[in-house]
Amino acid sequence: MAAVAEDSSEAAAVKNFDHNMNPKSEFDAHKLAEMFSNLNPLAKEFFPSSYSHHDRQDFHFYYQNNNRSLAKNFQVADQLLHSDNNRRRRPDFNNQGRRRMNNNRSVRAQQEESIRRTVYVSDIDKDVSEEELAKVFREFCGYVNDCRICGDPHSVLRFAFVEFANEHSARAAIGLSGTVVGSYPVKVLPSKTAILPVNPTFLPKSNDEWDMCTRTIYCTNIDKKVSQAEVKSFFETSCGEVTRLRLLGDQLHSTRIAFVEFAL
């Protein structure tokens, strides 16, 4: 009788599936999970003839200790497979993952291309400015996209990263290693990193702001004893009308800085 009941249950279960063996409805899936959880795995129909009585006892012990977790796993699997929310989210998640992966590859490719167009320059004289260094490389190698001198401004020797418009110019720049710029010969090597681009949020956002920047200078090494009025008077006497001036400083530095905006 047990075998007949199990056969009829199996036949009923098959009716609840389509030709791809997918549950025909969420209600049928719940019913099927409940039916599976009530099956007796110790019935002789579940054991091949090769199993010994000792093997059945071992399985009986395993089943008693794991029956609750098996039933719970059926319920969790049923919820995951037949939840409308998960069914909707899965394609979106996959698409987002693909887009994120493609974006990462694109960014990585751009960085690698920028590195190939960049050289590392060391032993730079402290009196050489970024404009002067860029001019040397521009005359011999081609257009310079960016030039950044790094290091302590009070140090005798500093280093820089110079990015060119193409890889050919970067390879040509390596041949300038040993060229005297200022008072010292510089060393030029292929760079292992790209120049960090300027944060666009710091750039002028309108024509008025661009015009303001062209009329503004940045001044350093201002003695703390000098007042804002004296700084303004100094620049107006030598350069012209000053429309705005900001004098900044703190307790950690012995000097101050200023931003001076002129009328013209």
Side-chain angles (χ1 to χ4, degrees):
M1 292 297 291
V4 173
E6 288 164 2
D7 290 341
S8 61
S9 298
E10 183 179 355
V14 172
K15 293 180 181 179
N16 292 327
F17 285 84
D18 59 19
H19 65 281
N20 292 324
M21 293 307 293
N22 294 320
K24 292 181 179 179
S25 69
E26 187 174 350
F27 173 79
D28 293 335
H30 281 291
K31 188 174 181 181
L32 184 62
E34 182 180 358
M35 183 185 66
F36 281 155
S37 65
N38 293 329
L39 288 177
N40 180 15
L42 298 180
K44 62 180 182 179
E45 290 81 6
F46 288 98
F47 287 89
S49 58
S50 59
Y51 263 53
S52 65
H53 179 71
H54 178 71
D55 294 328
R56 297 188 188 184
Q57 288 180 340
D58 290 344
F59 186 81
H60 182 272
F61 175 78
Y62 170 82
Y63 175 73
Q64 285 181 334
N65 286 277
N66 293 276
N67 185 30
R68 293 184 178 178
S69 61
L70 289 172
K72 183 177 181 181
N73 289 341
F74 272 119
Q75 296 175 358
V76 173
D78 174 64
Q79 292 175 359
L80 290 176
L81 287 174
H82 305 289
S83 170
D84 291 337
N85 291 335
N86 285 332
R87 221 178 282 158
R88 286 194 298 269
R89 290 173 185 170
R90 189 170 297 164
D92 294 337
F93 175 79
N94 291 337
N95 291 335
Q96 290 176 2
R98 292 192 189 98
R99 284 196 296 268
R100 191 180 299 110
M101 185 179 297
N102 292 335
N103 290 338
N104 291 339
R105 289 176 180 174
S106 176
V107 171
R108 193 181 306 114
Q110 292 177 358
Q111 290 177 343
E112 292 175 354
E113 196 268 339
S114 297
I115 292 174
R116 292 193 294 269
R117 292 187 285 104
T118 305
V119 297
Y120 170 76
V121 186
S122 62
D123 297 349
I124 302 173
D125 190 336
K126 66 180 181 64
D127 295 326
V128 174
S129 66
E130 290 179 340
E131 291 78 7
E132 293 171 337
L133 183 64
K135 181 179 179 181
V136 171
F137 284 102
R138 184 168 57 249
E139 290 178 352
F140 291 96
C141 306
Y143 186 79
V144 174
N145 283 348
D146 200 352
C147 176
R148 306 277 184 92
I149 294 181
C150 311
D152 186 354
H154 303 292
S155 176
V156 176
L157 299 177
R158 295 177 293 166
F159 63 95
F161 295 93
V162 182
E163 180 185 316
F164 294 90
N166 52 67
E167 296 180 33
H168 177 74
S169 297
R171 290 192 293 268
I174 298 175
L176 293 182
S177 185
T179 302
V180 176
V181 181
S183 302
Y184 300 95
V186 297
K187 296 180 181 179
V188 186
L189 298 170
S191 178
K192 296 181 180 180
T193 182
I195 296 177
L196 186 67
V198 176
N199 189 333
T201 60
F202 298 148
L203 297 177
K205 297 179 177 58
S206 64
N207 291 334
D208 291 339
E209 290 186 2
W210 276 108
D211 179 64
M212 186 185 302
C213 289
T214 59
R215 293 183 286 103
T216 303
I217 64 168
Y218 169 69
C219 183
T220 64
N221 295 334
I222 302 175
D223 194 314
K224 285 190 173 182
K225 297 179 181 179
V226 177
S227 66
Q228 181 166 322
E230 290 174 324
V231 174
K232 182 178 180 180
S233 176
F234 168 79
F235 281 108
E236 284 188 330
T237 301
S238 305
C239 308
E241 181 185 354
V242 173
T243 56
R244 189 179 306 174
L245 187 149
R246 291 193 63 185
L247 190 60
L248 306 173
D250 54 36
Q251 301 297 326
L252 299 178
H253 298 83
S254 58
T255 59
R256 293 192 288 180
I257 63 173
F259 292 91
V260 184
E261 179 187 334
F262 293 91
L264 301 173

